[in-house]
């Protein structure tokens, strides 16, 4: 008896939907073992991770708040990945967007600037994110430089730029020397949806982005171009689609969305610019994009799920003293299983009994 | 041999008394998932025999020889070598037992010399100098001239095949497998190869010869085993069969005759190429040099030639996948188009069918409707204000299915799930349904079953008789003879003057394919035709 991986004649749509669930299941099993090894009660730990955050209103809002940047970034990344352009630097584009938008907020601080401030911040952040993402895209198209490396390296440039600004020119004079800008004025702040709550306008924007991406990919010729260029480059060229143009376009869009997510995070839940505004949103969004099958609706669900692990991780740390890094381990294992389970879309497992099988084949 | 003994002889063509077969397969079966590539195949190959393995694409010929050469493990059944059961761990074990193989697709390094390439295929126990000397000697003995010091990229396809054959012969095989060796040769080169094979046979070796060309099998082979759909249909003496009876066994039925419709008229030129020259876009690519021809409506121009003589480059230049700096080099429907993209050329009324079906002509993992959109988005009303009209794309799929008898499991499957013939019918249908003024098609029936090939050839003839200009590139001279009005030959990036089909004999085409020019008188006559 033998277990073989056998190619399917056509991709299985059922498995395409179920595979993320299998991956989540396997991740939970692995985490259970890990908790047991750490000497924690696995059931309580899982309860803290996945159930507790869903039981109170504050946590539910917080999940939506965390999911907002993840979903927005992941939507942009999914466009890149579908077009076979590997933007790994969303974290940097997120930070640059936050910096560029904050520039307006800092410059108008304490003046009686009107309601134009926030829209201009959003536009500027998106533009900055897009321009920043265009650096690796243009290097790729013009010089053939690996966009994986260049986009990743630019993350550290953005990180250090932000660090310099909040420790230097933009530091709050009344901030007791903490590396942070002053809290933004109300006109430079993303409004909350429920008075006294945490849920903010950014979540609505994220939903609009999901809807727009679904229409783009499902109904328009541009979305079709993106999919063909990634799936079959030579056929795309035969179809008259220009792969280089799409690398530029998808990088720009994903950079813009990451930049937008950056300023929404700073001008929303955080309220000022400081180092550490992102617990790795730009990287976690890569997991969200793949867990969501590079599909806009899938990404929305995956973003909420990953947000749950962030919140659950915090709760587990508070309640059971499980280190916060376990959350990152969790996310890494999850990505691993997602990619592994994806092979089941094109392949299936089969038990082979060599002798009997052949007897049937011959007969 | 006395008559009674002949009657007792189990093999149909007799004269193997007193010997045992060199290689036998018993119930050889290879299964890929639910698909039986080989279904319980029994063959005997004797010394002093050229044994043909005949069958259409997908009949299981390659699978069978791969199992014999140790490249794949059979799912069931056994291989016997001189009567004794063997299990081959891989090709090197097969070679060490005396089984050699020459593949259809060569595995040569372009930047290495002939001798270096041969050395890489051997076990390396002798010094490079000894090996080179032996190489020269083997190539001389068998009349396969090779210069060991030349780099492979400078060699013709026929010479490259010689390297593969010499490499196999240097291991002194008792049993040699050749996979469609004449597919890449001119008729004259094929004749030279047959002399070599006759000689190997006379030395007591056995040759397993894969082909789907019936005439050459009748001429060369002593025995033929016909495969169809993974099963052995029959083993026979091909010399006692007719080409038609062999074809019936291969296909399992009669093949439809292709007929040109009456009243085909030659009208204005619809595709003109003026002195097109293009440098290669990759290191050992072919440079197109001064290519000119004119193609009128209602006409089919065939381009013959051994693969790799610039046909791919010409296709890219005509389709607009590669652009020319001089717009006037390619004129479609009277409009200079050399600088226009493939989309703009389609809007002028041109349509294209590339050689490679999966990955070039279609996106394999996308649905047929999406693949209809791939080439139809430019000019077929499938896109309105940037939005896709899904109904229109599905309609194209349905129409192509109906008109060209595309067989598939469901209404809109992925391209990769169709068989080669059905996918090719879809691709050709997709383009023809757009009623193109000009159709450029490369290898229209490559690797396609005979039934589908007939449908496709008929479709090309019908399109021409409806007034379109059709350019067909093919390595299959029989195909060109069947459908083309004029035939030109590509060699080293140059295109010969077209010959009228009635005057394009195999000999003349063969000479042109090998790079010789025809007699001046004849050539001048051909241009006038």
């Amino acid at each position: 008896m033998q277990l073989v991986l056998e190619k399917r004649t056509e991709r299985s749509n059922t498995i395409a939907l179920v595979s993320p669930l299998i991956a989540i299941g396997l991740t939970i099993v692995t985490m259970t073992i890990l908790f047991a090894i750490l000497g924690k009660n696995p059931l309580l730990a899982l309860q803290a991770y996945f159930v507790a955050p869903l039981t109170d209103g504050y946590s539910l809002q917080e999940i939506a708040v965390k999911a907002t940047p993840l979903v927005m970034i992941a939507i942009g990344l999914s466009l890149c990945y579908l077009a076979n352009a590997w933007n790994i630097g969303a974290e940097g584009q997120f930070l640059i967007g936050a910096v560029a938008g904050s520039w307006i907020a800092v410059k108008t601080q304490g003046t009686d600037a009107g309601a134009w401030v926030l829209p201009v911040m959003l536009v500027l952040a998106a533009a900055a994110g897009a321009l920043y993402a265009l650096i690796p895209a243009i290097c790729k198209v013009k010089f053939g430089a690996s966009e994986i490396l260049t986009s990743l390296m630019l993350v550290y440039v953005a990180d250090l730029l932000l660090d310099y600004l909040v420790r230097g020119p933009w530091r709050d004079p009344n901030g007791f020397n903490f590396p942070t800008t002053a809290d933004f004025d109300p006109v430079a702040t993303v409004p909350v949806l429920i008075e006294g709550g945490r849920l903010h306008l950014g979540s609505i924007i994220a939903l609009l982005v999901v809807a727009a991406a679904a229409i783009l990919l499902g109904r328009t010729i541009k979305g079709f171009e993106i999919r063909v260029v990634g799936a079959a480059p030579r056929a795309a060229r035969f179809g008259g689609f220009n792969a280089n143009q799409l690398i530029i376009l998808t990088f720009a869009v994903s950079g813009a969305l990451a930049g937008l997510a950056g300023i929404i995070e700073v001008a929303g839940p955080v309220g000022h610019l400081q180092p550490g505004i992102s617990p790795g949103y730009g990287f976690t969004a890569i997991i969200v994009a793949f867990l969501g099958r590079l599909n806009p609706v899938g990404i929305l669900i995956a973003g909420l799920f990953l947000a749950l692990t962030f919140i659950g991780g915090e709760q587990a740390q508070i309640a059971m003293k499980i280190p916060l890094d376990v959350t990152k381990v969790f996310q890494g294992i999850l990505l691993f299983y997602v990619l592994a389970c994806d092979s089941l879309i094109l392949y299936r497992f089969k038990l082979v009994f060599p002798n009997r099988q052949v007897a049937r084949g011959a007969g | 041999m006395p008559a009674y003994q002949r009657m007792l002889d189990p093999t149909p063509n007799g004269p193997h008394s007193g010997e045992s077969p060199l290689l036998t397969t018993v119930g050889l079966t290879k299964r890929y998932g639910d698909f039986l590539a080989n279904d319980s195949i029994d063959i005997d190959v004797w010394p002093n025999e050229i044994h043909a393995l005949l069958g259409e694409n997908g009949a299981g010929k390659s699978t069978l020889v791969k199992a014999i050469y140790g490249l794949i493990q059979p799912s069931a059944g056994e291989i016997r070598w001189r009567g004794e059961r063997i299990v081959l761990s891989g090709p090197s074990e097969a070679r060490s037992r005396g089984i050699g193989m020459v593949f259809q697709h060569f595995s040569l390094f372009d930047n290495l010399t002939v001798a270096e390439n041969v050395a890489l295929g051997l076990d390396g126990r002798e010094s490079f100098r000894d090996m080179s000397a032996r190489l020269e000697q083997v190539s001389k003995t068998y009349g396969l001239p090779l210069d060991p010091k030349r780099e492979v990229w400078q060699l013709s396809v026929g010479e490259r095949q010689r390297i593969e054959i010499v490499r196999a012969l240097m291991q002194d095989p008792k049993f040699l497998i050749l996979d469609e060796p004449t597919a890449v040769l001119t008729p004259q080169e094929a004749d030279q190869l047959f002399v070599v094979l006759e000689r190997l046979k006379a030395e007591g070796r056995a040759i397993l010869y894969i082909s789907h060309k019936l005439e050459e099998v009748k001429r060369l082979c002593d025995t033929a085993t016909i495969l169809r759909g993974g099963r052995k249909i029959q083993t026979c003496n091909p010399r006692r069969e007719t080409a038609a009876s062999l074809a019936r066994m291969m296909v399992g039925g009669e093949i439809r005759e292709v007929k040109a419709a009456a009243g085909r008229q030659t009208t204005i030129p619809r595709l003109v190429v003026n002195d097109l020259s293009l440098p290669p876009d990759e290191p050992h690519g072919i440079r197109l040099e001064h290519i000119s021809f004119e193609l009128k409506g209602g006409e089919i121009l065939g381009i013959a030639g051994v693969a790799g003589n610039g046909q791919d480059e010409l296709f890219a230049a005509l389709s607009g996948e590669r652009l020319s700096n001089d717009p006037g080099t390619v004129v479609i429907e009277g409009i200079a188009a050399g600088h226009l993209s493939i989309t703009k050329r389609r809007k002028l009324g041109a349509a294209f069918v590339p050689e490679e079906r999966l990955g070039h002509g279609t996106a394999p993992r996308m649905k047929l409707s999406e693949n209809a959109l791939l080439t139809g988005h430019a000019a077929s009303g499938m896109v309105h204000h940037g939005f896709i009209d899904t109904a229109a794309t599905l309609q194209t799929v349905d129409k192509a299915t109906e008109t060209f008898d595309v067989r598939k499991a469901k209404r809109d499957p992925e391209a990769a799930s169709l068989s080669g013939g059905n996918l090719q019918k879809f691709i050709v249908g997709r383009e023809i349904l757009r009623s193109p003024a000009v159709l450029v098609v490369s290898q229209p029936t490559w690797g396609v079953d005979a039934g589908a090939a007939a449908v496709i050839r008929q479709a090309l003839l019908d399109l021409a008789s409806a007034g379109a200009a059709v350019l067909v590139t093919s390595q299959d001279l029989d195909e060109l003879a069947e459908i083309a009005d004029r035939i030109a030959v590509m060699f080293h990036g140059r295109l010969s003057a077209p010959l009228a089909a009635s005057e394009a004999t195999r000999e003349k085409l063969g000479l042109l394919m090998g790079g010789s020019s025809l007699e001046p008188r004849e050539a001048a006559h051909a241009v006038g035709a």
Side-chain angles (χ1 to χ4, degrees):
Chain A
M1 193 182 82
Q2 196 181 0
L3 197 63
V4 294
L5 209 53
E6 174 183 298
K7 198 161 178 135
R8 298 172 191 270
T9 46
E10 191 159 342
R11 49 178 286 142
S12 161
N13 288 326
T14 323
I15 298 290
L17 290 174
V18 174
S19 131
L21 300 179
I22 302 174
I24 290 172
L26 289 169
T27 308
I28 289 176
V29 170
T30 311
M31 289 307 287
T32 307
I33 297 167
L34 190 68
F35 287 134
I37 293 170
L38 287 172
K40 311 284 180 191
N41 180 338
L43 279 181
L44 286 179
L46 289 175
Q47 201 263 349
Y49 256 93
F50 298 113
V51 184
L54 295 174
T55 50
D56 73 286
Y58 172 82
S59 291
L60 283 175
Q61 281 194 49
E62 200 59 24
I63 288 171
V65 167
K66 285 267 193 250
T68 296
L70 288 176
V71 169
M72 282 176 69
I73 299 169
I75 291 282
L77 290 181
S78 71
L79 299 182
C80 285
Y81 299 161
L82 283 171
N84 224 351
W86 298 97
N87 181 3
I88 308 296
E91 180 83 359
Q93 294 139 25
F94 177 93
L95 296 176
I96 285 293
V99 166
S102 300
W103 176 62
I104 304 285
V106 170
K107 290 298 158 193
T108 58
Q109 197 116 49
T111 65
D112 51 0
W116 59 268
V117 173
L118 184 66
V120 169
M121 283 167 66
L122 296 182
V123 170
L124 198 65
L131 286 175
Y132 203 61
L134 281 177
I135 299 171
I138 288 170
C139 287
K140 164 82 174 176
V141 170
K142 291 275 173 219
F143 312 113
S146 163
E147 76 277 23
I148 299 176
L149 291 178
T150 49
S151 65
L152 179 61
M153 290 192 293
L154 284 169
V155 170
Y156 304 102
V157 176
D159 198 23
L160 293 170
L161 176 68
L162 187 157
D163 222 42
Y164 161 74
L165 289 173
V166 295
R167 287 173 204 279
W170 293 0
R171 188 172 56 188
D172 179 9
N174 309 317
F176 307 103
N177 254 343
F178 279 108
T180 165
T181 66
D183 279 348
F184 292 175
D185 289 342
V187 287
T189 305
V190 177
V192 292
L193 293 180
I194 310 161
E195 200 57 49
R198 296 268 298 160
L199 199 61
H200 57 79
L201 188 65
S203 304
I204 304 290
I205 297 177
L207 285 177
L208 292 176
V209 167
V210 169
I215 292 170
L216 173 77
L217 288 173
R219 318 272 340 152
T220 69
I221 187 76
K222 201 40 110 185
F224 177 69
E225 278 183 44
I226 291 172
R227 290 186 291 128
V228 186
V229 161
R234 196 147 168 245
R237 199 165 80 157
F238 179 64
F241 306 139
N242 185 329
N244 282 345
Q245 251 174 31
L246 283 179
I247 291 178
I248 300 279
L249 177 78
T250 55
F251 258 83
V253 170
S254 88
L257 287 174
L260 196 58
I263 193 60
I264 288 173
E265 188 69 10
V266 168
V270 180
H272 53 257
L273 189 65
Q274 65 173 51
I277 51 171
S278 163
Y281 285 135
F283 296 117
T284 308
I286 299 173
I287 305 176
V288 173
F290 281 106
L291 185 65
R293 306 237 54 85
L294 304 181
N295 170 303
V297 177
I299 285 171
L300 179 62
I301 297 167
L304 289 168
F305 179 75
L306 262 291
L308 173 68
T309 68
F310 275 118
I311 308 298
E314 284 170 13
Q315 301 224 350
Q317 186 184 26
I318 295 163
M320 302 179 64
K321 303 203 166 32
I322 292 173
L324 203 56
D325 287 339
V326 170
T327 305
K328 287 189 177 160
V329 171
F330 176 91
Q331 292 174 353
I333 292 173
L334 182 60
L335 179 63
F336 171 81
Y337 279 127
V338 166
L339 297 179
C341 288
D342 272 6
S343 54
L344 292 177
I345 297 171
L346 289 179
Y347 296 85
R348 63 176 158 224
F349 281 115
K350 196 166 189 182
L351 280 177
V352 175
F353 308 88
N355 293 322
R356 259 186 289 163
Q357 172 127 13
V358 167
R360 239 182 301 138
Chain B
M1 187 193 292
Y4 70 88
Q5 209 173 332
R6 184 182 291 262
M7 281 177 69
L8 291 175
D9 195 310
T11 58
N13 53 333
H16 298 302
S17 55
E19 301 172 40
S20 60
L22 188 61
L23 183 125
T24 305
T25 67
V26 185
L28 194 99
T29 299
K30 180 65 190 178
R31 172 189 290 277
Y32 292 106
D34 293 335
F35 177 67
L36 272 173
N38 279 170
D39 187 357
S40 194
I41 292 180
D42 303 322
I43 58 167
D44 294 308
V45 185
W46 301 75
N48 293 86
E49 180 186 57
I50 303 183
H51 190 128
L53 210 49
L54 260 176
E56 293 207 78
N57 273 76
K61 300 173 306 223
S62 296
T63 308
L64 180 62
V65 297
K66 277 184 192 161
I68 293 173
Y69 191 53
L71 276 168
I72 54 175
Q73 291 300 325
S75 315
E78 57 183 68
I79 300 167
R80 291 188 193 142
W81 179 249
R82 293 180 164 140
E84 175 196 337
R85 181 177 181 185
I86 55 169
V87 176
L88 296 168
S89 60
S92 63
E93 192 184 340
R95 282 196 297 266
S96 70
R97 284 183 184 271
I99 301 173
M101 179 154 175
V102 175
F103 289 91
Q104 191 179 2
H105 300 286
F106 309 145
S107 40
L108 298 170
F109 294 93
D110 278 351
N111 288 321
L112 298 184
T113 65
V114 172
E116 285 164 343
N117 267 291
V118 171
L120 281 169
L122 300 175
D123 55 14
R125 250 173 283 161
E126 61 193 331
S127 76
F128 188 72
R129 194 190 297 166
D130 291 351
M131 195 280 308
S132 296
R134 205 154 66 83
L135 165 66
E136 272 198 277
Q137 190 222 324
V138 170
S139 77
K140 239 182 235 141
T141 314
Y142 288 98
L144 294 161
L146 277 177
D147 177 355
K149 294 194 186 65
R150 285 193 74 187
E151 290 185 1
V152 167
W153 64 269
Q154 301 170 306
L155 304 181
S156 74
V157 182
E159 288 171 303
R160 290 176 202 212
Q161 188 182 57
R162 267 181 235 154
I163 305 176
E164 293 276 4
I165 295 175
V166 167
R167 176 151 80 181
L169 289 180
M170 284 180 68
Q171 319 206 346
D172 192 23
K174 299 287 169 284
F175 184 93
L176 186 63
I177 304 164
L178 292 147
D179 190 356
E180 306 220 6
T182 57
V184 295
L185 300 181
T186 67
Q188 285 85 352
E189 284 174 321
D191 287 343
Q192 288 166 14
L193 175 69
F194 295 160
V195 174
V196 175
L197 297 183
E198 289 288 354
R199 173 163 180 175
L200 291 171
K201 169 186 155 186
E203 288 178 347
R205 301 176 208 270
I207 293 169
L208 190 59
Y209 186 89
I210 302 182
S211 182
H212 60 250
K213 294 186 183 170
L214 305 172
E215 290 300 338
E216 76 182 31
V217 166
K218 275 174 66 64
R219 210 176 115 194
L220 180 72
C221 302
D222 308 298
T223 315
T225 293
I226 293 110
L227 301 184
R228 188 171 76 228
R231 290 164 186 265
K232 180 171 118 172
I233 300 301
Q234 200 184 332
T235 295
C236 62
N237 180 342
R239 293 182 181 122
R240 290 189 204 151
E241 300 288 334
T242 63
S245 67
L246 289 172
R248 265 198 300 278
M249 285 189 266
M250 258 170 75
V251 179
E254 297 290 341
I255 302 165
R256 182 140 58 105
E257 286 273 322
V258 175
K259 280 197 283 291
R264 291 172 55 185
Q265 286 173 359
T266 297
T267 55
I268 35 145
R270 305 195 94 160
L271 174 65
V272 181
V273 173
N274 292 316
D275 197 27
L276 170 70
S277 295
L278 261 190
D281 60 350
E282 45 186 37
H284 300 310
I286 300 290
R287 174 187 296 275
L288 294 180
E289 295 193 76
H290 309 295
I291 289 180
S292 297
F293 60 85
E294 212 179 88
L295 190 50
K296 298 198 169 88
E299 188 184 33
I300 299 183
L301 173 64
I303 295 186
V306 173
N309 271 294
Q311 293 95 326
D312 296 349
E313 286 80 358
L314 179 62
F315 182 86
L318 292 178
S319 68
E321 287 170 288
R322 278 197 73 197
L323 302 181
S324 163
N325 291 327
D326 177 1
T329 50
V330 179
V331 181
I332 297 168
E333 289 279 70
I335 293 167
H339 61 304
L340 297 181
S341 70
I342 188 166
T343 302
K344 290 194 176 130
R345 292 183 200 200
R346 286 195 178 111
K347 284 184 179 156
L348 291 178
F352 310 96
V353 176
E355 175 179 344
E356 190 75 39
R357 282 186 284 279
L358 287 171
H360 192 179
T362 63
R365 289 287 166 195
M366 287 191 154
K367 292 177 182 160
L368 290 187
S369 60
E370 293 175 302
N371 277 302
L373 182 64
L374 183 71
T375 61
H377 66 88
S380 302
M382 292 179 184
V383 180
H384 307 294
H385 308 292
F387 283 84
I388 300 164
D389 183 345
T390 316
T393 61
L394 273 170
Q395 213 179 358
T396 304
V397 175
D398 291 344
K399 255 196 193 154
T401 306
E402 200 180 317
T403 318
F404 297 98
D405 184 31
V406 180
R407 294 182 201 166
K408 49 196 168 61
K410 54 183 184 186
R411 188 181 179 196
D412 194 15
E414 283 176 8
S417 72
L418 266 64
S419 74
N422 282 309
L423 184 58
Q424 187 73 355
K425 283 191 279 187
F426 169 76
I427 295 174
V428 171
R430 165 182 86 181
E431 303 305 327
I432 287 181
L433 286 176
R434 292 174 44 217
S435 310
V438 174
L439 178 68
V440 177
V441 42
S442 192
Q443 306 284 10
T445 60
W446 182 257
V448 160
D449 61 276
V455 171
I456 289 165
R457 287 173 193 160
Q458 188 63 54
L460 297 179
L461 284 167
D462 293 347
L463 182 69
S465 57
V470 180
L471 181 74
V472 180
T473 305
S474 179
Q475 275 167 257
D476 184 345
L477 294 183
D478 298 331
E479 170 168 85
L480 293 179
E482 205 173 337
I483 61 172
D485 301 297
R486 291 184 297 153
I487 301 175
V489 175
M490 262 202 113
F491 179 74
H492 281 191
R494 292 173 183 272
L495 190 70
S496 77
L499 302 166
S502 53
E503 296 177 10
T505 59
R506 292 185 81 83
E507 287 64 37
K508 280 188 197 169
L509 293 176
L511 286 173
L512 290 168
M513 285 162 75
S516 323
S517 57
L518 301 176
E519 311 269 315
R521 189 179 51 80
E522 237 174 348
H525 180 63
V527 171

